Every structure is written in structure tokens, then in C-alpha cells.
Amino acid sequence: MDDEDWDTEITDNRGGGALPAFQPNFQKSGSLPVRANETSSVFGRSVKPAGVDGKQNGEEKPTGGFGNRRSFGNRGASGNRFEERNPGFGRGMIDGGDTYRGRRGSIRGGRGGHGLFTSNDYEMQDGGQQSSFFGSKRGGFGASSGDAENRGRRFRGRGGYKGINEEVIGGAGKSLWKSDGDGEGGDFAGPKVTYIPPPPPDSEDDIFAHYQTGINFDKYDNILVEVSGLDRPAAIMTFEEAGLCQTLIKNIARAGYSKLTPVQKHSIPIVLAGRDLMACAQTGSGKTAAFLIPILAQMMQDGVSATQFKEQQEPECIIVAPTRELVNQIFLESRKFAYGTCIRPVVVYGGTQTNHSVRQIQQGCNILCATPGRLLDILGREKIGLSKLRYLVLDEADRMLDMGFGPDMKKLISNPGMPPKDERQTLMFSATFPEEIQRLAGEFLKIEYLFVVVGQVGGACSDVQQTILQVSQYDKRDKLVEILQGIGDKRTMVFVETKKKADFFATLLCQEKIKTTSIHGDREQREREEALHDFRSGRCPVLVATSVAARGLDIENVQHVINVDLPSSVDDYVHRIGRTGRCGNIGKAVSFFDPATDSGIAQPLIKVLADAQQEVPSWLEEIACGSCPVGFSNPRRNMFASVDSRKAFQSKENQHSGGFLASNTSPADESWD
DNA sequence: AAAAAAT
């Protein structure tokens, strides 16, 4: 290969020195069965070290300025936050001497103060008052100061936090919110404080932290792959065939990747060939690396803007995803691959200080990982320009294009600076992709894009053992406690339908002495990240979540998913249970099915179960038969769409016209296959 | 009903 040495002078992109030597250590990469279309292909190409100037990146760590740190509760949560602080509701929150949570907080309209009990703070502060959620009484959101304590510790981390530690742990959290002159906001007269995220851990071990592939990893090779479109590049079988530079090879190995998954085998050469791509592959099968690796490789070859402070930065790559935590996860993954190169990834999302996002970007930005709202905000402030944009990635693409995010995506694509689709590469990845959304996606993609499907579009991962239990809503709490007590300390994600119920169940489980935390959109950003950290670390083996955590999150050792409430869309179900059974590991998913509310999902659910070779309860089939699925009138996408009906579009059939989102209103009245 | 910008 002729590209082995050009990057050897490059220094650590965190501002550190030259990289220590690292020997790639590919694990046993056995010979894989090669399918007919998987002939190896060489992507070694002439490499010019353009733009690779070995410049050090700017320092990523915030340098103080932590005065002003409360997430702004949007979506009306702020509107009623103080009104609901009636006696008897959330009173348990006011413990530990009026901690910051009780004081600043009730940020979620008085809810959300459920305890997250730590090992050393394990008693209900409100005397163990039992809640009766289903009886429509909303009491007993007892709280513990436990996570407040830990939170203060964790988010301190570096310089600039000194002196706060004692105050928080002492429970006098309000001092935390007093301005001591180091903040840029310092507006403590008002209730608005914006959270500044902690600097990401950046020791090399932290950066490359990963978990092991599971016993079923090799079974990925048995899954059928369908690639449609013209002039399909051949798949590659090994990382070596991708013709990557040495630094990237090292980073890939160090990040724990040794064997390609099917979606990677096909997507990497497609992206390297400069093609647009829509790719569907099961949850946990390596989609993120499937786009990051080839993008990084291309950027290394073509060169990127030097890392230096500029008022406006012009990233070569923008990656969007539907939740803040997912965007952060993608960022952390991109940081692995970019380590020791001149490519600087940056992450920005809401619930944090916009100024912090801006500063991060201004220090240099080649890959921008962002949630849509903050991205548009930053674009509007002209802190990023799009003239150098060459890669636009929509992770969880179906979600990014549906009713919720579609308008934001349209704004992004319509930005005057956005290169037309023929001058950029647009990549979309998801485990699910309803047909009508595929159709919308065509607006973003070149006519001749390629469509990769691993297995079935919208299919569940077969490494997840799925169980459906008929449980009425009134029995859910007892059943949940029973199951969790049987599970023991194994990591479990519990999904519910509403934020309120997330709080309720988290509180309930804490009362049952099960170490639980929760994540949902009405929690402060810092609380969300704290919850995720406590779950990841095992400190809280149970995470109660809304669908905010349904997609993309890659958490080690999640062995169980419990759907206390089934989602209304079967695609959401597929994503939720996909939090377990990742990367060749196995997992279990148990779902409570209440015929009173869930009959609409019975039929598509049966399809998903059957396609994943799971047992289908006879009672469920009876319910499905009874719930006549005649309606395509149901506004909810996917309600009755069978997995089988979703087929890959042939690329020449993608030349549909029609305005973006306008076509959303017209159902599948055209034949797409 | 969840989520995505702040204000």
C-alpha cells in the first residue's frame, strides 16, 4: 500500500503529543463464507497527503466557566414547573436540606424527583409512601438525594469545578447555583441555567473503551444481504481490503473491531466509491462504524481543513441523529477512529449552553455530530458554513425523516449553503425504514443511490429472545417487580410510554430496593447523562426509559429489555428490544401486552416475532385476528405495515418527484416494486 | 405520546 506513511507525523488530535506506538492486534479473523456478490475488491488508491499538515488540534477541554448550568426545560415543562409544586406532590424531593434538585428542580413540573438510590443512601425519604399511579393518584414521587450526590462529583471532573464538591455532597446544593463569577451567564436571578456537559473522558483507555463481541457474532455471516441499485461496488471481506491508512487501521483494531459485519462489508466500499447509500441492518450490527470508517478514510485521503480557531468553521461531514445521547455516542465512536489524525470531531446538542457548542466548533470542526435543533441553531448563527460539506449522514434515518424531525431535516437540506445532493454524499442508516419514509429519503439522495438491506427491513435481531406476556395495565407494576427480582443484578432497560410513568416506575422500583435510574425528555440533560452513566457503569442496573432511549444506544451487557408498555409502532418495538442482543451477544426481551390498549400492534408484532423465529402466543394470534387491520387510515405509520411489504427500492424506480413531506400525505398509492 | 432549539 502506498498510504502507509503519510500520516505518521500527525499528532494526537486532543492536543497531546505524538502517538505512542500501537500494534494492531486483529483477533482471529477466520475465513468467512463468501457470497457470490462478495468478491474482494481493492480500494487502495493513490494517496496524496493533502491537507494533512500535522497540526495539533486545539484543546478540547472547557477551561472553566461553569457557573451557569441548568438545562432549559423546553416543551412546556418549564411552563408549569412551579405551579405543580403543590403539597403532597413531590414532597419527597425536598430532602437533604433542599438540594439543588428540589430547589432548582421540580424542573419537570414537579415530577421526576424519584429517587435514584445509591448504595449509601438507600432509604425512602418520604417514608416509603406508596404511589398509586394507575389509580390516578399521583403521590409518592419520593426522592433521594442519592444521585444528586454522585452527580455533583461526576460532572466536576476537571479544573473549574474546584470547591463545589463539598457543597454538593453536603446536600447544600444550592451553593452550586450561586454565581461565583466564573460563569458566562451568571443569571441566577432567573430560573434558567444551562447545563455545560462534562468534557468527555480522554485518556486513551477511555477513548477506546469498548466491549467484546458475543458468541453469535459469526452468525451475522448467515444473514442474506440484498444490494439494489446500479453499478454496485463489490463487498469487502476484511478491513485490510478497504485500503485504509495505518492510523485508521490502528484505531480500528484498538477500538475492538476485528471482523466486518455484513452491513460494514457492503457499506464501506459503497461509501469509499463516493456513492449515496440507504442502508438497513439489524440493531447492534455495526452501522455506525459502517459509515464512520469509510468517511474517515476518505477524509484522510482528501485532506481536511486544518484545525485552528475560526469564527466560522466549515465541517466536511455532518452526522445527525434523533437524540442527544445517541449523537454523543456517535461522537465518541468517531473520536476513536479519528484519534491521532488531523480530523477533529465535535458534538453539539441541546440542553447545553449554546456558547459551549459554539466554542467547541470554533476550535476546529471536521466532523460535526449534532441533534437537529442545535445544528440549525448553530447554522443560523453562522458558526458553521457548509461550503466544504461532503458527507451528510442521517443515523436512524427513518426517524430523522418522519413527522417529528422531517421539517428540521428539510430546513437543513434547504439551507442556502447546503451543497446540492450531487455535490455531497448522503448516507442513511437505520434498522427500520418504512416505505413511505424511504420515499421521502429519495429527496435527499442522488438518483443512483444504493440500497443495502441486511436481513429484512424492520426485522428484529434474532439474538434477542422475545417474549410477549398478556398483562393488564393494573398488573404491570407487580409483574415488573416480580420479573426484576428474578433477574437480579443483570442490567435491564425498562421501557414505558410516558415520562410520567418513567418517573413512577423508577420511584416504585427504588421503593422495592432495586437500584434504578431513569431517562426521559423532561429530565435535565445532566440528569439524563448521569442516568446513562450510572446504568452503563452498573451502579444502577435498572434503567427506566421512554422512547428517548429506544434507538441506537449501545450499552454493554444489557441482558434484558422489558416493555412495560408496548410502543404504538412496531418499528419502535424493534429498536427498543435492540438495546440488547448487540454485537453477537444474546439478550431477552419481555413485553407486557394489554389487549385493551395494544391490539393495534398485534398483527405487525406477530410478523416481527415470526420473522425472528420467535414463539407467537396463540392468544396473541387470536387478538390479531380480532383486530381487523383494514385501515390504512390509521395515522400512525407502520401500524399495520408488514415487514414483508417493505422491499428495497430499485434505484431506477426512485425517480419519483413530489415535494418533500407533501408526499407524506399520500399513502402508498403507487406501486414501488 | 416522545422527541427535537431557545425564548
Side-chain angles (χ1 to χ4, degrees):
Chain A
M1 271 178 289
D2 53 359
D3 56 348
E4 295 203 349
D5 294 317
W6 63 271
D7 58 345
T8 51
E9 294 298 310
I10 299 171
T11 51
D12 174 1
N13 67 345
R14 299 163 306 131
L19 277 179
F22 175 75
Q23 295 302 320
N25 179 26
F26 290 114
Q27 298 166 354
K28 45 170 173 63
S29 58
S31 61
L32 308 175
V34 185
R35 296 188 179 279
N37 63 344
E38 291 181 343
T39 55
S40 70
S41 158
V42 178
F43 288 91
R45 42 188 85 185
S46 65
V47 180
K48 54 176 175 4
V52 181
D53 56 10
K55 269 206 182 83
Q56 284 191 198
N57 284 18
E59 177 60 69
E60 286 186 22
K61 304 167 193 166
T63 56
F66 290 92
N68 184 3
R69 66 182 77 184
R70 202 189 82 193
S71 130
F72 183 72
N74 61 0
R75 291 189 304 281
S78 58
N80 58 2
R81 70 174 59 133
F82 295 115
E83 295 160 20
E84 284 193 25
R85 297 199 54 194
N86 49 332
F89 185 75
R91 63 190 168 88
M93 278 182 284
I94 309 171
D95 65 309
D98 196 10
T99 63
Y100 79 85
R101 180 203 280 267
R103 178 181 144 78
R104 314 288 315 178
S106 316
I107 286 172
R108 299 153 302 279
R111 304 194 309 264
H114 69 75
L116 171 150
F117 289 87
T118 68
S119 49
N120 49 4
D121 185 357
Y122 213 91
E123 293 179 35
M124 288 302 295
Q125 302 295 316
D126 64 351
Q129 174 187 357
Q130 290 292 318
S131 316
S132 176
F133 180 84
F134 295 113
S136 81
K137 288 183 66 173
R138 299 191 303 172
F141 287 89
S144 156
S145 56
D147 63 341
E149 166 198 323
N150 197 335
R151 176 177 310 125
R153 177 165 29 221
R154 171 142 26 252
F155 284 92
R156 213 156 302 120
R158 295 173 186 284
Y161 287 97
K162 287 194 178 68
I164 299 178
N165 191 352
E166 297 75 15
E167 295 166 358
V168 176
I169 290 181
K174 48 188 152 190
S175 324
L176 183 62
W177 307 105
K178 289 250 165 60
S179 172
D180 43 21
D182 66 342
E184 45 200 285
D187 58 341
F188 288 87
K192 291 164 193 162
V193 181
T194 308
Y195 164 63
I196 300 176
D202 60 0
S203 83
E204 287 185 35
D205 287 344
D206 288 335
I207 288 174
F208 288 102
H210 64 272
Y211 61 89
Q212 296 302 312
T213 60
I215 53 170
N216 284 344
F217 189 86
D218 291 341
K219 280 168 66 178
Y220 285 138
D221 294 325
N222 301 327
I223 302 173
L224 276 171
V225 183
E226 185 183 342
V227 186
S228 36
L230 302 175
D231 300 323
R232 306 186 285 271
I236 57 172
M237 298 308 297
T238 65
F239 281 110
E240 287 83 353
E241 290 175 46
L244 309 170
C245 70
Q246 282 303 305
T247 303
L248 203 42
I249 288 172
K250 277 192 288 188
N251 289 341
I252 288 169
R254 201 170 182 188
Y257 295 86
S258 56
K259 283 183 61 181
L260 289 162
T261 65
V263 68
Q264 293 163 355
K265 289 177 185 175
H266 289 84
S267 299
I268 289 174
I270 287 171
V271 177
L272 288 175
R275 304 291 298 277
D276 277 8
L277 172 63
M278 183 188 298
C280 298
Q282 323 90 294
T283 53
S285 68
K287 291 186 287 292
T288 306
F291 62 78
L292 283 180
I293 289 172
I295 287 175
L296 265 292
Q298 294 283 73
M299 290 175 71
M300 296 285 280
Q301 285 195 1
D302 298 341
V304 295
S305 309
T307 297
Q308 60 182 10
F309 183 92
K310 277 184 185 171
E311 190 64 26
Q312 184 189 65
Q313 294 282 340
E314 300 196 293
E316 285 82 11
C317 174
I318 291 179
I319 301 167
V320 292
T323 66
R324 298 164 181 177
E325 288 76 14
L326 179 54
V327 138
N328 197 41
Q329 179 180 296
I330 296 167
F331 161 74
L332 292 174
E333 201 66 11
S334 67
R335 202 176 57 160
K336 296 177 186 173
F337 298 130
Y339 188 78
T341 74
C342 57
I343 297 167
R344 179 178 147 97
V346 173
V347 64
V348 300
Y349 49 81
T352 66
Q353 281 200 351
T354 309
N355 283 343
H356 178 259
S357 297
V358 169
R359 275 197 304 274
Q360 289 296 311
I361 288 172
Q362 287 178 334
Q363 287 168 27
C365 179
N366 302 115
I367 297 177
L368 181 59
C369 308
T371 46
R374 181 56 57 98
L375 175 61
L376 292 174
D377 187 12
I378 299 279
L379 261 176
R381 294 163 190 254
E382 300 188 325
K383 299 305 179 189
I384 60 172
L386 300 175
S387 71
K388 292 185 179 157
L389 187 72
R390 292 176 46 225
Y391 308 94
L392 177 62
V393 184
L394 278 62
D395 199 14
E396 308 295 344
D398 56 329
R399 182 76 184 84
M400 301 311 293
L401 295 172
D402 76 6
M403 299 290 286
F405 288 106
D408 278 351
M409 288 299 98
K410 177 161 178 59
K411 280 181 206 160
L412 175 63
I413 239 67
S414 314
N415 186 291
M418 176 61 70
K421 56 189 177 186
D422 286 331
E423 294 171 23
R424 64 168 198 260
Q425 253 181 287
T426 310
L427 313 173
M428 304 194 184
F429 286 78
S430 185
T432 56
F433 227 127
E435 282 188 22
E436 65 271 25
I437 307 291
Q438 290 181 34
R439 187 177 167 187
L440 295 181
E443 294 287 317
F444 290 64
L445 299 164
K446 294 169 190 152
I447 299 288
E448 65 279 13
Y449 76 89
L450 295 173
F451 191 104
V452 170
V453 179
V454 181
Q456 280 179 313
V457 180
C461 174
S462 60
D463 292 327
V464 182
Q465 177 198 318
Q466 304 175 56
T467 307
I468 313 294
L469 300 178
Q470 190 169 338
V471 182
S472 87
Q473 61 169 321
Y474 302 101
D475 298 328
K476 282 179 177 179
R477 52 182 283 179
D478 289 343
K479 192 68 187 172
L480 175 63
V481 171
E482 177 192 326
I483 291 175
L484 285 175
Q485 285 171 344
I487 284 176
D489 259 359
K490 290 174 188 161
R491 238 167 279 178
T492 304
M493 287 182 79
V494 176
F495 282 102
V496 295
E497 195 56 24
T498 67
K499 294 178 265 202
K500 195 189 288 183
K501 278 174 122 178
D503 285 337
F504 168 79
F505 277 106
T507 304
L508 172 77
L509 295 177
C510 284
Q511 289 172 347
E512 298 293 333
K513 301 286 190 274
I514 297 169
K515 291 179 190 171
T516 303
T517 185
S518 73
I519 185 168
H520 60 68
D522 274 358
R523 299 202 78 189
E524 291 175 80
Q525 189 55 32
R526 60 156 51 216
E527 291 177 309
R528 288 167 55 158
E529 290 176 20
E530 178 83 1
L532 211 50
H533 183 278
D534 286 339
F535 184 58
R536 277 187 203 276
S537 71
R539 182 170 174 265
C540 293
V542 176
L543 177 68
V544 182
T546 61
S547 283
V548 69
R551 283 176 178 258
L553 296 183
D554 188 43
I555 299 163
E556 180 174 13
N557 214 18
V558 176
Q559 300 184 28
H560 298 263
V561 168
I562 301 175
N563 282 308
V564 164
D565 300 319
L566 275 166
S568 51
S569 138
V570 79
D571 282 350
D572 204 7
Y573 170 83
V574 167
H575 284 281
R576 285 183 183 184
I577 68 169
R579 292 322 93 213
T580 186
R582 301 179 69 79
C583 205
N585 295 287
I586 56 173
K588 291 182 179 179
V590 179
S591 301
F592 296 171
F593 187 103
D594 181 355
T597 54
D598 300 328
S599 59
I601 203 179
Q603 193 156 34
L605 181 58
I606 286 172
K607 189 72 186 159
V608 166
L609 292 168
D611 286 344
Q613 295 86 47
Q614 301 293 307
E615 185 183 334
V616 179
S618 55
W619 58 263
L620 186 59
E621 288 187 325
E622 287 169 23
I623 290 172
C625 292
S627 70
C628 177
V630 219
F632 290 98
S633 59
N634 192 303
R636 241 167 219 146
R637 70 188 174 86
N638 265 349
M639 221 36 181
F640 304 114
S642 84
V643 174
D644 264 355
S645 71
R646 306 172 199 168
K647 286 187 182 166
F649 292 3
Q650 297 305 310
S651 74
K652 60 182 128 181
E653 294 167 347
N654 275 324
Q655 303 173 15
H656 51 275
S657 55
F660 182 81
L661 291 183
S663 52
N664 193 27
T665 56
S666 58
D669 51 5
E670 299 175 44
S671 172
W672 289 100
D673 52 11

